[in-house]
Amino acid sequence: MSRPDTPAATPGGEGRFDGYDVLAQSPFWDPVTAEVVLDRTRRVPALAFFSSAEADVARALLDLMLANHAEPRVPVVEMVDRRLFEGETDGWRYEDMPEDGEAWRRSLRFLDEDARRAFQAGFAHCTLDQQGRIVQGVQDSEEWHGLPGKHVWSLWTRYGCAAFYAHPWAWNEIGFGGPAYPRGYKVLHPGWREPFEVAERDAEDPVPWSERVEQAERAHEVRLGPRR
Amino acid sequence: MRHTDERAIRARNESAWLVPTGQERTNWSLRERMRRFDPDEEVDVVVVGCGAGGGTLTQRLARAGFRVVALEAGPWWDPARDWVSDEAASHKLYWTEPRVISGKDPVALGSNNSGRGVGGSMVHVAGYVPRFHPSDFETYTRDGVGADWPISYEELRPYYEQIEEELPAAGEPWPWGDPHDYPHHPHPLGPNGEVFRRGARALGLRTAVGPVAIPNGRFGHRNHCIYRGFCLQGCKVNAKASPLITHIPDALAHGAEIRPDSMVSEVVVEHGRATGVRYFHGGREHFQRARLVALAAYSIETPRLLLLSATPAHPDGLCNDFGQVGRYVMVQGAPQTAGRFHDEVRMYKAPPPEVTCEEFYETDPSKDYRRGFAIQNVSPLPITYSEHVTAQGHWGEVLREYMRDYVHWAVLGSLCEFLPRVENGVTLAAENDAHGLPVANFSYSEGENDNKLEAAAQAVMEDILRAAGAQEVITIKRYAHLVGGCRMAADERSGVVDRNRRSVAVPNLYVTDGSVMPTQGSANPALTIMALAARCADHLRATARSGLVGEAVRG
């Protein structure tokens, strides 16, 4: 896991807010918040919940779902593992799903079984294309290994996105202001910015929004075949 | 502006001077000097839960001279040290003990609607405090749906006015329902609110700013709002009101005791009267004797506690002889529509709801559905906003591309008045919590009227965003708030408590939280929960004064 010392790091070097570094604002954060947020960039927690075999499958799954393929990569699997180890759930589970930790273990095992059946290799050793087909199959399924497909999907996306978009590199990528206490905001009009906020690279450069989405969808399809 | 007499403000809003100045956010000496009752002492009232309902009741009973102890399952927060300006690390604000959700349309709990700790859900709600409309109190008479309340809007109005002053609330004069104004002028608009108002104006729809429970300006020792947009993560500024900084400090100053980290497991009833509650604290079980028990643990935990308090005489749970406990739990349909704008919006600044449109609140006879919805801007932070994107089925590169565009999106949310259904509610699951108590199973399914309301609300939100210039809109279906489960009714066959919030089955057992509400309107419920608790406190005061045998505390 590379952890760049360079400011304004973004996951995989993606993003349109050139030079925006939310961590440069950390001197203006309260100490409790600063400790929690800076810790995410300083330390990759050791695995405590997943076995190393489970972690391999979880890493492949989460990196695929978040397109977290290039360095610097957000340590999503370690962040999810920490939550599961500490039992930090969302405060509910679906009646037709086990408790979150058990649901994660089972769903990772099922992914591996599907991969071995279809591609004669563990999920983590499949190509991105093969992994993508299996995962798309779960999203499209009514029932998957006795579990409701949409509830498995909800489990994966909730934990995955909560980890990824908690990371300051992701905030740099999307231009989010990050913690704002005690500094706050004084410029509240659409189209205006605080002195420390960075303008997005020309919104039409290289292509406008609609084409950027189409490009992302094409990239997704090339990898996974046509979507539903 | 109402009632600007300074002495009256000081007397009513004493709590605003009870929080400290400077960098501290907690008045430690007030907590240290708190009255502590002897463990074996029978108090006048034990209150279960320290949120909107329990906090307000405790404060008023303390001011009236009652000996009152309030038990809270969660911690007693210090905003400076316990809370962070961060989405992911705010998990502990929510009720994250195990719970099961079921039904055709299971409702997410936790951060969505369930608080924990002194201040309750008001710590992590946006502090939006609109009133209900007069029609909300008689939907059955007017529209043939839902249920009539055993009290009228007129009976609750004085308590709405009191609480709006006590918070205090800031907003523009309100043109809908029972028109009224607010003690403080509205806050400046954030970017998302501006987009909303621009779109609504283009369609000729009226909007109003507020009401939000944040004083406009420094108020006593409470600081000016800094518009940082983290209202849902607990206000570290002490600007947004919650009982933690309003009614609880006031209650302490008037002799109430607060016991945090105390999870009540049973209401004990002997010979038809409540004698107190059992609770877990510090790994041990305790018993608090009281002449009167008031439950304010909200729509999941209050029914659960009554069900857990079953006895041989009441094998199906306390107050449940007619199967009413845990029934008619309601959530508002809360679809949210995001619109993409060419200009940067940066919706994460300013309190998340700021602008409201209640033009569609009342039943429109020309539609094929009853009742209506309100629209407010909401401004999700990145993790919550990612749910909007994944709800479209996006993942991988497409998810990342949408998220990379975050600053260009504005979001509107609606609150649709879903109707009460007897089958929606709380039962005990087979699974136990850490104390060995069965956890709650909350089952929820929408009805046909609900689906139609939801579709209508989505269409209006899309229209407003397009009129404001949106190039693309996306919608996520979700739910907001929780009420019902122990509803008040005219008789024991249709409810759990009477019009004064007294349980029909046990004369000295009261329910003073949102679970008593027979319908939910299209307004955020916090103000109504507080107003109901304030009215209940007046009832208890009057009953105690009259000295009626068998009534209230002195019985």
Side-chain angles (χ1 to χ4, degrees), chain B residues 75-97:
Chain B
W76 200 345
W77 304 114
D78 168 26
R81 289 170 188 79
D82 296 337
W83 298 348
V84 287
S85 196
D86 181 75
E87 252 188 309
S90 296
H91 239 82
K92 60 191 169 201
L93 297 183
Y94 319 126
W95 189 284
T96 52
E97 296 290 300

Side-chain angles (χ1 to χ4, degrees), chain B residues 293-526:
Chain B
V293 175
L295 305 184
Y298 212 9
S299 289
I300 305 290
E301 296 302 320
T302 290
R304 177 184 175 215
L305 178 56
L306 289 172
L307 296 174
L308 289 173
S309 302
T311 64
H314 303 283
D316 297 325
L318 213 51
C319 305
N320 200 26
D321 291 358
F322 296 92
Q324 291 291 311
V325 170
R327 302 284 195 184
Y328 302 103
V329 177
M330 288 161 275
V331 291
Q332 285 157 338
Q336 296 183 349
T337 301
R340 202 272 174 184
F341 293 85
H342 179 271
D343 285 345
E344 292 181 7
V345 178
R346 297 188 182 260
M347 64 177 163
Y348 50 82
K349 302 174 185 180
E354 274 209 298
V355 177
T356 296
C357 172
E358 292 188 353
E359 297 285 274
F360 305 92
Y361 197 108
E362 303 286 343
T363 296
D364 177 347
S366 73
K367 306 288 190 199
D368 65 343
Y369 53 79
R370 305 290 93 177
R371 305 306 296 160
F373 52 89
I375 297 175
Q376 303 166 351
N377 65 291
V378 292
S379 307
L381 296 178
I383 292 173
T384 311
Y385 184 65
S386 72
E387 292 173 24
H388 290 243
V389 178
T390 57
Q392 315 308 312
H394 298 318
W395 58 279
E397 279 85 357
V398 186
L399 164 65
R400 286 281 296 280
E401 189 62 50
Y402 269 88
M403 288 303 294
R404 217 169 276 144
D405 205 47
Y406 175 65
V407 301
H408 286 278
W409 292 74
V411 181
L412 302 183
S414 49
L415 298 177
C416 304
E417 182 182 347
F418 283 6
L419 297 172
R421 293 157 64 87
V422 65
E423 64 271 34
N424 286 340
V426 173
T427 54
L428 297 179
E431 178 183 341
N432 289 348
D433 69 8
H435 298 298
L437 306 169
V439 306
N441 182 329
F442 174 34
S443 174
Y444 191 82
S445 303
E446 290 176 27
E448 198 186 329
N449 198 73
D450 304 339
N451 300 145
K452 288 176 179 170
L453 269 181
E454 202 171 34
Q458 178 177 337
V460 171
M461 292 190 293
E462 289 174 351
D463 287 348
I464 291 171
L465 287 166
R466 290 224 161 87
Q471 303 157 296
E472 180 187 345
V473 293
I474 60 174
T475 295
I476 178 174
K477 277 183 61 172
R478 51 189 297 290
Y479 304 99
H481 307 127
L482 269 174
V483 295
C486 290
R487 71 177 182 177
M488 56 177 152
D491 65 82
E492 62 191 4
R493 286 171 193 279
S494 42
V496 175
V497 297
D498 68 13
R499 65 194 306 279
N500 292 318
R501 253 54 51 63
R502 182 159 80 157
S503 77
V504 186
V506 182
N508 64 336
L509 175 62
Y510 282 70
V511 180
T512 64
D513 58 23
S515 68
V516 302
M517 287 161 55
T519 60
Q520 60 180 346
S522 299
N524 316 55

Side-chain angles (χ1 to χ4, degrees), chain B residues 168-191:
Chain B
E172 288 185 316
W174 211 245
W176 302 286
D178 174 28
H180 56 277
D181 59 6
Y182 288 102
H184 282 222
H185 288 298
H187 286 269
L189 270 192

Side-chain angles (χ1 to χ4, degrees), chain A residues 95-145:
Chain A
E95 188 175 37
D96 49 18
M97 291 280 285
E99 283 294 342
D100 289 2
E102 174 60 19
W104 267 101
R105 286 197 206 283
R106 264 194 232 176
S107 65
L108 296 174
R109 195 168 70 232
F110 297 150
L111 277 177
D112 226 26
E113 285 174 22
D114 283 9
R116 286 178 204 287
R117 192 173 308 117
F119 305 113
Q120 294 76 51
F123 184 82
H125 299 287
C126 288
T127 64
L128 290 179
D129 171 76
Q130 292 167 335
Q131 290 173 352
R133 285 183 214 188
I134 294 170
V135 165
Q136 186 66 60
V138 179
Q139 188 187 30
D140 294 342
S141 67
E142 277 286 309
E143 189 188 311
W144 182 64
H145 294 273

Side-chain angles (χ1 to χ4, degrees), chain B residues 57-68:
Chain B
L57 183 77
T58 301
Q59 176 250 1
R60 277 166 161 69
L61 294 182
R63 278 196 173 210
F66 286 69
R67 292 172 305 138
V68 54

Side-chain angles (χ1 to χ4, degrees), chain B residues 41-123:
Chain B
E41 187 176 347
E42 183 186 57
V43 295
D44 291 331
V45 181
V46 62
V47 180
V48 180
C50 279
T56 306
L57 183 77
T58 301
Q59 176 250 1
R60 277 166 161 69
L61 294 182
R63 278 196 173 210
F66 286 69
R67 292 172 305 138
V68 54
V69 171
L71 304 175
E72 164 57 46
W76 200 345
W77 304 114
D78 168 26
R81 289 170 188 79
D82 296 337
W83 298 348
V84 287
S85 196
D86 181 75
E87 252 188 309
S90 296
H91 239 82
K92 60 191 169 201
L93 297 183
Y94 319 126
W95 189 284
T96 52
E97 296 290 300
R99 285 170 170 176
V100 178
I101 61 173
S102 58
K104 183 166 66 68
D105 305 293
V107 173
L109 300 171
S111 64
N112 197 28
N113 48 27
S114 302
R116 185 177 173 84
V118 175
S121 294
M122 283 191 79
V123 162

